[in-house]
Each structure stands twice: as structure tokens, then as C-alpha cells.
Amino acid sequence: MENIEKEKKKKSLTNELITLAIPAICEQILNTLLQYVDTAMVGHLGEEATAAVSTTTTIGWVIGSFLQSLGIALLALMSKSVGEGNKEKLKKLAGQAVLLVLVFGSLICAVALSLSKYIPIWMGAEDNVRPNASKYFFIISIPMIFRASSTIFGSCIRATLDTKSPMIVNIISNVLNMILDWVLIYACKMGVTGAGCATAISYTLGGIMMFLVFKNKEQIVLTFNNCKPDKPLLKEISKIAIPAAATQAVSCFGYVVFAGLVSSMGTSIFAAHSIAVNAETLFYLPGYGISAATSAMIGVAYGEKNITKLKSIMKLSTFITVFTMFLGGVVLYITSYPLMRIFTSSIPVAELGAKMLKIVSVTEPFFGLMIAMQGIFYGLGKTKSVFVIETFGMWGIRVIFTILCVKLWHTTLSEVWYCMIGDNISKACLLALAMVIFIKRKLYSFVYKNDENQDENQDENQDENQEKDKEINKENIEENNEGKEKEKEKNIELDVSLV
């Protein structure tokens, strides 16, 4: 009977994870499409238009990563509150989410708009590309509050174990973006400006819809008072968000340096590298979708203080992610050359890129392991470990050894990709090792530490109350004694006067 019950629980967890993961995977695909639609649409206008849209992609990635780090923190805390059934804290966190959207959306918007003229120059764009690149970045930065709304509120919604609503919002945003791209770029002949306007409008609509979904969730009740700054909660959010943001920054700038090193190897080599990286990214999306669903489930189980459920989700998520990435690796190996031919008409570039894809396809399960571990750590709100390991892998292995390969040893692109593979495998193994140590030594104390802290606080409060009671009793006794002495003095004075 016990085995049957265990199997039922395992099946229900599997079904829940898959049910949550499928919309999350679709959302990852849609977010990726939104980034490439403008580039693809303006591609027919010529190289200058394509370069203008592509130049600021990295900066857009940095901005998105920062907003995502706030989402990671809120998802961890809100999903935990859902598991605990702590409605009051959930309300307060919802209010702080609104505050963060308004503050950071406005702040990033102001910075992005003020720097829009200079970013294409810093990114090394040619003189004839800079005006359009600057204008495009300026336009898509205007609705930054709505972009922040879509990212942060989307994470909050997923914390309530709802991944379908964010997916639906993204579908509507993407469809609108594609329609507007065609209308504004070609029908209205606005070119790059039209592409920027289409993206800005889709961001705005997506942000508004995501807020409405967030506001109407049963678990979330928004009040004006909860939107005021709450220092303890903001401190709690920052403890998770800051390492997560640092991880994204380390990773992003590492990719920029890595790409810059490869670009120095020649135009054809860099073209093969860039296309291969973009093609491989498509095979990561299922893993990231499962990871997003895992974070929400882990947070809820953590809030429930159900260690057995936590361990089951960890094992199940890791297995499904690694197996999915293994299947993706097999498909990538088989379709590497046809896939490259979709993106380029150059046979030498396609052949070189296909060779790189075959090399990396063998290591896809390790990348799946890395993604699975990140999802678990983020769900628990433990972002410092991920930051340390990401920094070591990206800069201690990938960047340093690529510098040696390109600048000192003058190797081929294959050796550079081995550096990238070494980075991914080392991060996967170190994260898995950190997770095993955490489960064996710290999981129980980590789950129940808040209860212990509450007990300690209660004991401290009791001690303080007892001390206060003692002080009050002393004061009362002293007052009574003083009163008695005064009465004695009065009686003596009366006796004297009578005599």
C-alpha cells in the first residue's frame, strides 16, 4: 500500500511539473521570438537596418537580466508564502512588487533614454548605423515601466503556480508585434523606426495585461498601504535579487568578451560561431522552461516545510531536465548542418558551424544539469552559490582559456568551443556538488530556521516582558513605600499639633 501511495504522489508531482513546464517552455520560446522578429523583419531592408536593430541587443539583454533578478527574488518569497498560507505577507510582497516596477522601471527608462545616443558608439557600430541604432533603442526604452511590469508581475503570477496566464499574455504580445512590424515597416514604410514602434507598443500592451492578471489573482490583494516601502521586506528581496543580478551581469559581460575574442579570429569564423550559438540557444529553451516551473514548485514546498516533497521535486526536475536536454542533444547532432543552412547560404560557414554544434551536442545533458540546479537554488532563494560558481566558470575557465587559445596559441574555433564546453561542464558539476552537500548537511536546518528564529524572538519578547513587569512592580513598591512614609510624617505632625 505504501509503495502504491508513493507512486501516486510521484505521478501527481510529475503531472504538476509537466503541466507547469509546458506553458513556461512556450513562454521562453515566445520571449526569444520577440527578440528576433524585429531583426528578421528588417533584414530585407539591408545590412544597415539589420545592424541598427542588432547593435543594442546585448544592452537589452542586460536590462532584461536585471529585471529578471527582481522577478527571481519575488518568485522565491511569494511561492514560499503561498506554501505557508501566509496571506498577509503575500499581500505585502505584492505591494512591494508594484513599488519595484514603478521605481526601477522609471529609473532604467531615464538612464536608457539619456544614454541612447552613446550606446551604439560604445558597441562599436559603424558611423552610418549609429543614428538608426540610437533611435531604435530610444523608442523601445520608452515603455520600460511596462517591460518591467511584464517581467516582474509575470514572476509573481508564476509564484502562485500559474504559468498559463503569462504564456497567454506573451502570445498576444508576440502576435501584435509581428502584425505591427509588417504594417509599420513595410506598409507605412517606416523602416527601423517602425520596428521600434511595433516593439514598444507590444511591450506596453504586454505590461498592462500582465498587471491586470496579477491584480485579479485570488491570492493577491493590492492595497495602497502595502505599496509603501517596507524596509524589512525590501531587505529580504535584495538579499536574493542582488546576487541574482550579479550572476546575470557576470554571465552577460562574459559573453560579450567571449564574442569579442572570437570576432578577432575572422569574419567567416565569427559568422559560423554566432549562428551556431543562436541555433544552440533554441535547444536550451525547454530546459529553462522546466527550471522556471521547478522554482515555483520548490518555493511552495519550502513554504509547506515538506522536506520529502522538496527532495522528490529536486530529483524529478533534475531527471526530466537532463533527459529533455539529452534528447535535444541527439536532435541537434542529427540536424546540425540543415539547421545552419536555414540561417546562412554560405556552405563553408554552415559546415564550420555544424561541426561546432556536433561537438557541443554531446554535452547538452550537462547543460541540463546546470539549468536544473539553478532552478532549485533560485526556488529556495539561495542565489549566492549560483553567483560564485557562475563567476568561476565564466571568467576562470571560459574567458581566460579563450584568451590563451586566441591570443597566445592561435588555435582553431574548435578549441574555443572546448573552452565554452569546459565552462558549462564545470558549472554543472560544481552546482550539483553544492546541491548534494546542501541536501545532506543543511536542508533540514534551512527549512526550519525561520521557526527557530521565531521561537527565539518569542523567548526574547517573553524575557523583555518579564523584565518590564519586574521594573513596573519595583516602581509600584517604591511608590507604595513613599506613600506610607508620607502618611507617617503627616500623622506625626498631627500628633505634635495636638500636643
Side-chain angles (χ1 to χ4, degrees), residues 255-278 340 349 352 413 417:
Y255 280 123
V256 171
V257 173
F258 180 65
L261 290 166
V262 177
S263 68
S264 67
M265 298 176 75
T267 305
S268 297
I269 291 174
F270 184 63
H273 167 80
S274 300
I275 294 168
V277 167
N278 289 333
M340 286 294 298
V349 169
L352 180 59
L413 186 61
W417 273 58

Side-chain angles (χ1 to χ4, degrees), residues 295-329:
S295 294
M297 289 181 68
I298 286 287
V300 172
Y302 172 33
E304 292 171 348
K305 304 193 186 305
N306 191 334
I307 291 178
T308 304
K309 187 178 178 181
L310 267 174
K311 289 181 178 179
S312 298
I313 295 169
M314 289 173 181
K315 290 176 184 177
L316 187 64
S317 171
T318 303
F319 173 76
I320 292 174
T321 308
V322 171
F323 183 70
T324 302
M325 295 297 287
F326 167 75
L327 293 178

Side-chain angles (χ1 to χ4, degrees), residues 134-420:
S134 177
K135 188 188 294 183
Y136 176 80
F137 185 73
F138 184 91
I139 293 169
I140 65 170
S141 297
I142 292 170
M144 192 59 70
I145 286 180
F146 298 101
R147 187 175 173 183
S149 168
S150 186
T151 302
I152 293 172
F153 292 145
S155 295
C156 296
I157 294 165
R158 282 188 288 275
T160 64
L161 300 181
D162 175 11
T163 54
K164 289 181 182 178
S165 298
M167 178 195 71
I168 292 168
V169 170
N170 274 287
I171 288 173
I172 296 169
S173 297
N174 274 271
V175 171
L176 178 67
N177 186 48
M178 285 187 280
I179 294 169
L180 288 174
D181 266 335
W182 186 86
V183 171
L184 297 177
I185 293 171
Y186 300 117
C188 297
K189 296 181 180 179
M190 292 174 67
V192 172
T193 303
C197 290
T199 301
I201 293 168
S202 64
Y203 276 147
T204 303
L205 180 66
I208 292 169
M209 288 191 297
M210 201 70 82
F211 172 72
L212 292 174
V213 174
F214 168 76
K215 182 177 175 292
N216 292 319
K217 292 296 292 181
E218 288 182 10
Q219 299 96 320
I220 294 167
V221 180
L222 284 177
T223 62
F224 179 75
N225 286 332
N226 287 333
C227 294
K228 294 177 181 178
D230 187 320
K231 287 184 180 179
L233 270 186
L234 289 173
K235 188 177 180 181
E236 201 172 348
I237 292 167
S238 65
K239 282 182 180 179
I240 300 172
I242 290 172
T247 301
Q248 300 287 354
V250 163
S251 177
C252 185
F253 289 119
Y255 280 123
V256 171
V257 173
F258 180 65
L261 290 166
V262 177
S263 68
S264 67
M265 298 176 75
T267 305
S268 297
I269 291 174
F270 184 63
H273 167 80
S274 300
I275 294 168
V277 167
N278 289 333
E280 187 198 7
T281 301
L282 297 173
F283 290 84
Y284 294 163
L285 300 179
Y288 280 117
I290 298 167
S291 177
T294 299
S295 294
M297 289 181 68
I298 286 287
V300 172
Y302 172 33
E304 292 171 348
K305 304 193 186 305
N306 191 334
I307 291 178
T308 304
K309 187 178 178 181
L310 267 174
K311 289 181 178 179
S312 298
I313 295 169
M314 289 173 181
K315 290 176 184 177
L316 187 64
S317 171
T318 303
F319 173 76
I320 292 174
T321 308
V322 171
F323 183 70
T324 302
M325 295 297 287
F326 167 75
L327 293 178
V330 172
V331 174
L332 183 61
Y333 186 89
I334 295 169
T335 63
S336 57
Y337 184 73
L339 194 61
M340 286 294 298
R341 290 290 285 161
I342 292 171
F343 294 100
T344 180
S345 57
S346 172
I347 293 175
V349 169
E351 287 177 346
L352 180 59
K355 183 181 176 183
M356 298 305 104
L357 290 176
K358 284 183 177 180
I359 290 171
V360 80
S361 65
V362 182
T363 65
E364 290 298 290
F366 285 97
F367 198 86
L369 179 62
M370 181 184 77
I371 294 170
M373 295 300 105
Q374 285 179 346
I376 294 167
F377 274 123
Y378 285 162
L380 292 168
K382 287 180 66 62
T383 51
K384 289 181 182 177
S385 303
V386 180
F387 165 67
V388 172
I389 292 170
E390 176 65 34
T391 304
F392 169 75
M394 175 58 74
W395 292 90
I397 294 178
R398 182 183 299 205
V399 173
I400 286 178
F401 281 95
T402 300
I403 291 170
L404 293 173
C405 287
V406 174
K407 300 297 182 182
L408 187 63
W409 301 328
H410 304 289
T411 62
T412 64
L413 186 61
S414 296
E415 284 73 24
V416 171
W417 273 58
Y418 286 132
C419 296
M420 182 173 74

Side-chain angles (χ1 to χ4, degrees), residues 48-92:
E48 287 185 18
T50 304
V53 172
S54 303
T55 297
T56 57
T57 300
T58 303
I59 303 301
W61 185 23
V62 172
I63 293 169
S65 298
F66 177 76
L67 294 173
Q68 190 181 1
S69 67
L70 293 172
I72 288 168
L74 284 163
L75 184 144
L77 294 172
M78 292 184 78
S79 59
K80 181 173 178 285
S81 297
V82 169
E84 290 172 336
N86 191 341
K87 293 181 181 179
E88 192 59 36
K89 188 172 182 180
L90 201 58
K91 289 178 187 177
K92 289 180 179 179

